Amino acid sequence: MDKQSKIEPKVVTQIGFIVKDIGETTRSFAEFFGVDIPEINWTGEYKEAQQQYKGKPVESRAKQTFFEMENIQLELIEPDDGPSTWRDHLEQHGEGVHHIAFVVKDMKQTVKTLEGLNMPVIQKGEYQGGRYAYLDSFNQLKVMLELLEND
Amino acid sequence: MDKQSKIEPKVVTQIGFIVKDIGETTRSFAEFFGVDIPEINWTGEYKEAQQQYKGKPVESRAKQTFFEMENIQLELIEPDDGPSTWRDHLEQHGEGVHHIAFVVKDMKQTVKTLEGLNMPVIQKGEYQGGRYAYLDSFNQLKVMLELLEND
């Protein structure tokens, strides 16, 4: 067997949840973890995020917020009505865990490797200081992967 | 707002996945993460695990295996046909993420606190060196919690 990990480093930096009402769930998480209610922000507009879903430019966005554990970040995502992996998840599976994320050093090379394992990019975009790609890894890994690359 | 976290420490030690065919998914994970195929073991028999599901003793068991990331453990679980939260998840949601786990210092006190937040214990049992409890926290946290207490 090939003993090279297909993803490095093997650090799960984030667990991402799709939620219907981010205001309500953010209050619930803040109360549970004993922290101030964090800011909820929209993902970038198209001119900034240049998001693509299934290979096509889309205007779709989501509201998001974050909770820091000691070893990992929890992300809450409420999709808008436009086409996205977030909206798909909400419609097909309802609320719940959507992805686990890894920060990678070389997005292009990692995407190439993973596409070669039949994990196609389903959505990607830019954010301030980096970029993300969601890969459909469900058949192999039973969860979607998100790759993050920071400049 | 109450600024006390309801769970301490805020370390997600494990992400648990329900799978249909643990042999196949274990090979897939091992190949992906570039490691030897780990042992797959059954959870304990009743005399050892004393598992309870919805407050009643059950003989139900599962096959399980583990993959170590740098900061977290990934657990694969294939339930048997008996009643369990694992079997429920497979029947109601199919494969995918079932729980996130926290190691707590005082299981009884934490369970009492979380039951007071309408997160009832759905299943619990013993393992060598400790015990576990699954709590139905889906409404509040959009994922099931597992508490682990090690002796």
Side-chain angles (χ1 to χ4, degrees):
Chain A
M1 190 196 296
D2 177 3
K3 282 297 171 53
Q4 182 73 34
S5 180
K6 306 308 180 289
I7 203 152
E8 288 288 354
K10 286 195 267 188
V11 176
V12 181
T13 55
Q14 182 187 82
I15 304 171
F17 299 77
I18 297 293
V19 303
K20 281 183 193 163
D21 181 336
I22 198 169
E24 182 184 325
T25 304
T26 297
R27 284 190 296 276
S28 178
F29 269 63
E31 173 72 18
F32 188 76
F33 290 115
V35 295
D36 290 331
I37 293 176
E39 270 191 39
I40 297 168
N41 292 301
W42 282 98
T43 58
E45 292 182 63
Y46 182 75
K47 63 181 177 184
E48 172 196 333
Q50 299 175 49
Q51 60 272 29
Q52 291 195 12
Y53 169 69
K54 295 186 176 175
K56 292 181 183 164
V58 290
E59 304 260 333
S60 315
R61 297 165 72 188
K63 290 188 226 177
Q64 60 183 176
T65 195
F66 302 93
F67 290 87
E68 302 297 334
M69 305 290 101
E70 288 183 35
N71 65 328
I72 202 164
Q73 184 182 63
L74 307 180
E75 178 185 21
L76 304 183
I77 303 166
E78 180 193 314
D80 71 8
D81 291 333
S84 69
T85 174
W86 308 311
R87 167 61 44 192
D88 287 347
H89 187 99
L90 190 56
E91 289 178 358
Q92 292 163 21
H93 306 289
E95 297 183 298
V97 172
H98 170 260
H99 67 262
I100 61 174
F102 292 79
V103 176
V104 299
K105 293 211 177 88
D106 186 336
M107 174 72 88
K108 274 191 189 166
Q109 182 55 50
T110 307
V111 163
K112 191 177 166 189
T113 301
L114 300 194
E115 287 195 327
L117 297 171
N118 292 315
M119 300 179 181
V121 172
I122 193 91
Q123 183 174 322
K124 64 181 181 176
E126 303 281 324
Y127 54 82
Q128 204 164 17
R131 58 207 53 79
Y132 73 88
Y134 290 111
L135 283 81
D136 184 1
S137 51
F138 194 86
N139 282 346
Q140 298 90 338
L141 301 178
K142 311 309 174 189
V143 68
M144 185 171 285
L145 290 180
E146 183 178 25
L147 306 181
L148 300 167
E149 181 187 55
N150 296 317
D151 296 325
Chain B
M1 191 195 295
D2 177 3
K3 283 298 172 51
Q4 182 73 35
S5 180
K6 307 308 180 291
I7 203 153
E8 288 287 356
K10 286 194 270 188
V11 177
V12 181
T13 54
Q14 183 188 81
I15 304 171
F17 298 78
I18 296 294
V19 303
K20 281 183 195 163
D21 181 337
I22 198 168
E24 182 184 325
T25 304
T26 297
R27 284 190 296 277
S28 178
F29 269 63
E31 173 72 20
F32 188 75
F33 291 114
V35 296
D36 288 332
I37 293 176
E39 271 192 39
I40 296 168
N41 291 302
W42 282 97
T43 58
E45 292 182 64
Y46 182 75
K47 63 181 178 186
E48 171 196 334
Q50 298 175 50
Q51 59 272 29
Q52 291 196 10
Y53 170 69
K54 296 186 175 174
K56 291 180 183 164
V58 290
E59 304 260 333
S60 315
R61 297 166 70 188
K63 291 188 228 178
Q64 59 183 175
T65 194
F66 302 93
F67 290 87
E68 303 297 334
M69 303 291 102
E70 287 182 35
N71 65 328
I72 202 164
Q73 185 182 62
L74 307 180
E75 178 184 21
L76 304 183
I77 303 166
E78 180 193 313
D80 72 8
D81 291 332
S84 69
T85 176
W86 309 311
R87 167 60 44 191
D88 287 347
H89 186 100
L90 190 56
E91 289 179 358
Q92 291 163 23
H93 306 290
E95 296 183 298
V97 172
H98 169 261
H99 68 262
I100 62 174
F102 292 79
V103 175
V104 298
K105 293 210 176 88
D106 186 336
M107 174 71 89
K108 274 192 189 166
Q109 183 55 50
T110 307
V111 164
K112 192 178 165 188
T113 300
L114 300 194
E115 288 196 324
L117 298 171
N118 292 314
M119 299 180 182
V121 171
I122 192 91
Q123 183 174 323
K124 65 181 181 176
E126 304 281 323
Y127 54 84
Q128 203 163 20
R131 59 208 53 80
Y132 73 87
Y134 290 111
L135 282 81
D136 184 0
S137 51
F138 195 87
N139 282 345
Q140 299 91 337
L141 300 178
K142 311 308 174 189
V143 69
M144 185 171 285
L145 290 179
E146 182 178 25
L147 306 182
L148 301 167
E149 181 187 56
N150 296 317
D151 295 325

